[in-house]
Amino acid sequence: MSDTPFGFGLPPEEPENGDEGKKKGPAGGGQGGDPFGFGGLPGGADNPFAAMFGSLNPTDLGAAFQQLGQMLSYEGGPVNWDMAKQIARQTVAQGTSDGTKDASVGPAERSAVQEAVRLADLWLDGATSLPSGANTSVAWSRAEWVEATLPAWQQLVDPVAERVGAAMGDVLPEEMQAMAGPLIGMMRSMGGAMFGQQIGQAVGTLAGEVVGSTDIGLPLGPAGKAALLPLNVEAFGKDLGVAKDEVRLYLALREAAHQRLFTHVPWLRSHLFGAVEGYARGIKVDTSKLEDAVGQLDPSNPEQLQEALQQGMFQPEDTPEQKAALARLETALALVEGWVDAVVHEAAKARLTSAGALRETLRRRRASGGPAEQTFATLIGLELRPRRLRDASRLWASLTDARGMDGRDALWEHPDMLPTATDLDDPDGFVHREHLDFSELDKMLGEAAGNQDRPKGAGPDTDGADDEDDTDK
């Protein structure tokens, strides 16, 4: 590791190599008169401020100073969420790659979404025992989606970002850490800004792809609020050859089904976010990449800030605990998405002629993930994709056939009752085994209750009728 972490050279009065160091430049620093590592920037190495800002016009110069000020003055948590929100809104305003710009949702679109969610809830009543979970239904613009989902992204990203914050201090040599408090604080502020830039970029890009508040299998929006994005719904169905009303209704079914699950399975939200946090605890930070990212930071180049972390610096530890955490998370996501897939298909197959085609389109969409989801995978070392969606859907369908709607949905009463990753390999085996286990348990409980009613010292209960006779005697 370099003796000058993050590209910071020694001050002029302490050259790296005595008199030789003084000959390297007028300022005498180990970086050739560029103590902050900006020597390679346009504008000349002898004047770091000219290097940073000399080539900018007054408007860009003001923006660069403002951005640098935000980076260095931030004193909040591990991610500068104010900056993340600002960048996300800017990304949304720029529009998507196909040239579609965000727009306010009109009354007609809001009414169409409300009607679709209302009808979807009626259809779902016959496909699941869980009651409606949507207290309200809303139609969001992309910007409104950003505002509504940022609190959930904070829960997802902060655990990983906290590890980076600690790593930014760890990359300093131990003998320097005691005297480098202000420096560490500045580096953490810069790290929070870098995360804010990248998260904002990813959230803003994702806002141009999602169709509702539950696209990634996690409850990103406020509880009990079913949401669709009319602009993105239209883009989703553009080349499918399916009527716009059918596309909207099918997506409303999925959104309403997610809301039922997250509302009436009270432990599920914390279970999913806890699984993400558990996985994050086992991620290790590549400090060499972190050092390079901060050391090469150029405040006059906002794009570099957005690209600084894209190469990824997070690697899951190769331990049994981390592998188990990943398996729990992937299984939980698959079970949620598989249940929604099975329930929505049951509700739509006899009513929508395009149900099968829309189902397959969404399965492939979730399996591949969009550009923004891939960005999150690089940024926090985690892919929020249900790798075993089809297996989970088959399992829920088998449970429906074997136990009916009520028996299937009863498994959501407690996390320990849910299928495991192994069960996804053999859905029929899980259904059969669970039936045996429940019958054996009922038998054991019945025997225990019968024995408690028998007089002390009596023999085993072998014939209920004889017991009644004995008791009568």
Side-chain angles (χ1 to χ4, degrees):
M1 183 178 296
S2 168
D3 292 333
T4 56
F6 299 99
F8 287 87
L10 297 175
E13 62 271 22
E14 295 181 9
E16 286 181 314
N17 193 21
D19 293 336
E20 290 295 319
K22 296 179 181 179
K23 297 176 184 178
K24 293 181 180 179
Q31 299 276 335
D34 181 16
F36 295 100
F38 295 115
L41 300 178
D46 293 338
N47 186 344
F49 291 99
M52 285 189 286
F53 307 118
S55 62
L56 301 179
N57 62 46
T59 302
D60 292 339
L61 180 62
F65 271 119
Q66 182 180 18
Q67 187 175 64
L68 183 61
Q70 288 177 332
M71 289 173 59
L72 299 181
S73 64
Y74 177 67
E75 298 179 352
V79 177
N80 187 332
W81 287 103
D82 290 336
M83 180 173 287
K85 178 179 176 180
Q86 176 185 346
I87 296 298
R89 294 293 298 264
Q90 291 174 355
T91 303
V92 165
Q94 291 170 2
T96 52
S97 58
D98 63 359
T100 304
K101 297 286 187 178
D102 193 24
S104 299
V105 179
E109 291 173 315
R110 295 186 187 279
S111 177
V113 167
Q114 291 170 356
E115 177 61 22
V117 173
R118 185 194 66 79
L119 185 56
D121 258 336
L122 287 176
W123 290 5
L124 288 171
D125 284 340
T128 174
S129 61
L130 299 180
S132 174
N135 300 324
T136 58
S137 55
V138 294
W140 283 338
S141 66
R142 293 166 179 171
E144 288 172 324
W145 183 90
V146 168
E147 296 279 352
T149 62
L150 272 179
W153 291 119
Q154 187 169 353
Q155 282 187 265
L156 285 171
V157 175
D158 272 352
V160 180
E162 286 174 1
R163 295 186 62 80
V164 178
M168 294 188 83
D170 294 342
V171 297
L172 286 174
E174 186 175 350
E175 61 273 11
M176 292 181 60
Q177 292 187 20
M179 63 183 70
L183 178 60
I184 292 176
M186 183 175 69
M187 289 190 298
R188 287 181 175 172
S189 295
M190 294 174 75
M194 292 173 69
F195 254 104
Q197 287 269 359
Q198 192 65 25
I199 289 295
Q201 177 74 21
V203 170
T205 302
L206 195 58
E209 302 172 3
V210 296
V211 295
S213 70
T214 55
D215 285 43
I216 66 169
L218 296 172
L220 296 180
K225 184 172 288 188
L228 291 180
L229 282 71
L231 185 61
N232 294 356
V233 169
E234 183 175 357
F236 172 81
K238 184 176 180 181
D239 299 320
L240 297 181
V242 178
K244 181 178 178 180
D245 290 346
E246 285 200 18
V247 173
R248 184 194 302 114
L249 183 51
Y250 192 87
L251 296 176
L253 281 165
R254 288 183 53 82
E255 178 74 9
H258 276 103
Q259 293 297 333
R260 290 186 181 223
L261 199 57
F262 292 131
T263 298
H264 298 291
V265 182
W267 53 265
L268 183 56
R269 182 182 295 259
S270 59
H271 179 75
L272 288 169
F273 282 93
V276 174
E277 185 175 353
Y279 178 78
R281 282 197 298 266
I283 290 176
K284 59 184 179 182
V285 179
D286 187 336
T287 54
S288 64
K289 287 187 178 180
L290 179 61
E291 180 177 342
D292 290 342
V294 179
Q296 297 172 10
L297 196 62
D298 176 6
S300 70
N301 184 358
E303 289 75 16
Q304 185 188 32
L305 286 173
Q306 296 171 7
E307 297 169 359
L309 302 180
Q310 285 184 348
Q311 297 303 314
M313 61 180 66
F314 311 110
Q315 302 170 350
E317 293 183 356
D318 189 19
T319 63
E321 294 79 11
Q322 180 67 351
K323 290 178 180 178
L326 179 59
R328 284 194 299 271
L329 177 57
E330 290 184 340
T331 301
L333 286 172
L335 290 174
V336 168
E337 290 294 274
W339 183 87
V340 169
D341 179 78
V343 166
V344 168
H345 183 68
E346 181 64 26
K349 64 182 181 182
R351 297 181 172 99
L352 295 178
T353 56
S354 58
L358 290 169
R359 182 190 200 189
E360 186 60 29
T361 299
L362 283 161
R363 280 180 166 185
R364 291 178 180 178
R365 175 186 169 105
R366 288 294 287 122
S368 61
E373 289 184 62
Q374 293 165 10
T375 299
F376 280 111
T378 301
L379 182 64
I380 66 175
L382 178 63
E383 293 182 352
L384 297 174
R385 293 192 285 116
R387 296 179 182 275
R388 309 196 63 182
L389 168 58
R390 294 179 188 271
D391 294 335
S393 184
R394 282 194 294 269
L395 184 144
W396 289 118
S398 296
L399 285 168
T400 306
D401 294 339
R403 304 186 193 178
M405 186 173 68
D406 293 341
R408 176 202 65 201
D409 294 345
L411 290 178
W412 290 106
E413 291 179 2
H414 193 277
D416 291 343
M417 297 176 66
L418 290 178
T420 64
T422 302
D423 296 323
L424 293 180
D425 296 328
D426 182 18
D428 293 333
F430 172 79
V431 174
H432 182 63
R433 183 175 68 253
E434 286 293 298
H435 269 305
L436 286 178
D437 288 346
F438 283 135
S439 63
E440 289 296 321
L441 180 61
D442 289 342
K443 181 179 178 182
M444 292 171 60
L445 291 175
E447 290 177 350
N451 288 334
Q452 287 179 355
D453 292 338
R454 290 178 57 76
K456 187 175 181 180
D461 183 5
T462 59
D463 189 333
D466 291 343
D467 285 342
E468 291 179 3
D469 293 342
D470 293 340
T471 304
D472 292 337
K473 292 175 183 178

